[in-house]
Amino acid sequence: MNFELPWQQCGVIADLTRRLKDVSPQFGKTALQKMVFLLQEVYKVDVGYSFGFHTFGPFAGELLGDLDFAERMGAVQVKSVEGAYGNGYLIEPGESIGEIVARAEPFLTQHSKALGALVGEFGAKTAKELELLTTIIYLNKEIMWDEKKMTRTEAVGKIRELKPKFTERDVLRGMSELETQHQVKLVFAA
């Protein structure tokens, strides 16, 4: 049996943790899921995760496993915290972060520009803001494979059905932000 350790994935987790330490309002498990999803979908960096849809938007179970591995290796520390929206997590650099980043250096160097852009464009957003934006991108991706395109109004309704905590205005603002500030091409019909 050939078992490969996820050094590349742990390196991405460690690198994002280091880059977001003083940028993110609270870099926790939800924010990690969304940032890696954005890295793959918006910046086209294949980190190797398959995302499905979950309570808080796009989610990859393997990513949580790799986070646990990164924590066991000392690359990061995951702490339970009380946040503005209830209990959550905070991911901080661990004492072996440099060693783990070094193991993934070729991959991180190759994608350094994308990682920097990701942090620059999305790093200061809350997990809730990231949840909305990634839900829009996820639905957009699903629609791209569908024969029948949704109108923008239908897409807003579907997103609100999936995420009732967001208003129509929130969703429209998120769509506009993705299209104008982040150059994400949404395929919803007019």
Side-chain angles (χ1 to χ4, degrees):
M1 181 174 174
N2 186 11
F3 180 72
E4 288 189 37
L5 295 174
W7 295 117
Q8 179 176 293
Q9 289 83 358
C10 288
V12 169
I13 292 167
D15 189 58
L16 284 174
T17 300
R18 189 163 49 184
R19 288 176 186 250
L20 290 166
K21 181 165 178 22
D22 296 320
V23 176
S24 176
Q26 181 179 329
F27 184 57
K29 291 181 180 183
T30 301
L32 172 65
Q33 289 279 341
K34 306 318 166 223
M35 294 297 278
V36 173
F37 177 81
L38 289 166
L39 185 61
Q40 287 194 170
E41 296 301 322
V42 174
Y43 298 96
K44 307 301 182 204
V45 175
D46 184 6
V47 186
Y49 296 110
S50 262
F51 285 85
F53 199 77
H54 193 264
T55 305
F56 295 107
F59 175 84
E62 305 89 1
L63 179 51
L64 283 185
D66 290 343
L67 175 62
D68 289 342
F69 180 74
E71 185 175 28
R72 284 192 307 275
M73 294 293 107
V76 298
Q77 296 176 0
V78 181
K79 301 175 181 176
S80 294
V81 294
E82 287 188 34
Y85 303 103
N87 294 337
Y89 296 92
L90 179 63
I91 304 170
E92 296 182 317
E95 58 186 53
S96 299
I97 194 167
E99 180 183 323
I100 302 305
V101 167
R103 285 182 179 262
E105 186 176 351
F107 183 82
L108 296 175
T109 299
Q110 178 183 356
H111 300 293
S112 180
K113 186 175 178 181
L115 286 157
L118 170 70
V119 170
E121 290 189 35
F122 295 98
K125 297 199 175 296
T126 65
K128 184 177 178 184
E129 291 169 320
L130 292 170
E131 176 185 347
L132 174 60
L133 296 174
T134 56
T135 296
I136 293 168
I137 293 169
Y138 187 89
L139 182 62
N140 184 63
K141 181 181 175 185
E142 292 301 306
I143 289 171
M144 287 174 31
W145 299 106
D146 193 353
E147 295 281 328
K148 181 187 174 295
K149 302 291 185 211
M150 270 186 196
T151 66
R152 187 169 290 261
T153 302
E154 290 170 328
V156 169
K158 182 65 175 175
I159 291 165
R160 293 214 53 239
E161 182 182 313
L162 293 168
K163 301 286 179 184
K165 66 183 168 189
F166 295 109
T167 66
E168 179 178 337
R169 184 175 177 181
D170 293 335
V171 176
L172 288 170
R173 192 176 315 135
M175 288 175 165
S176 176
E177 177 184 333
L178 287 168
E179 291 175 316
T180 59
Q181 294 176 25
H182 309 297
Q183 286 69 52
V184 173
K185 185 176 183 325
L186 300 178
V187 296
F188 309 121

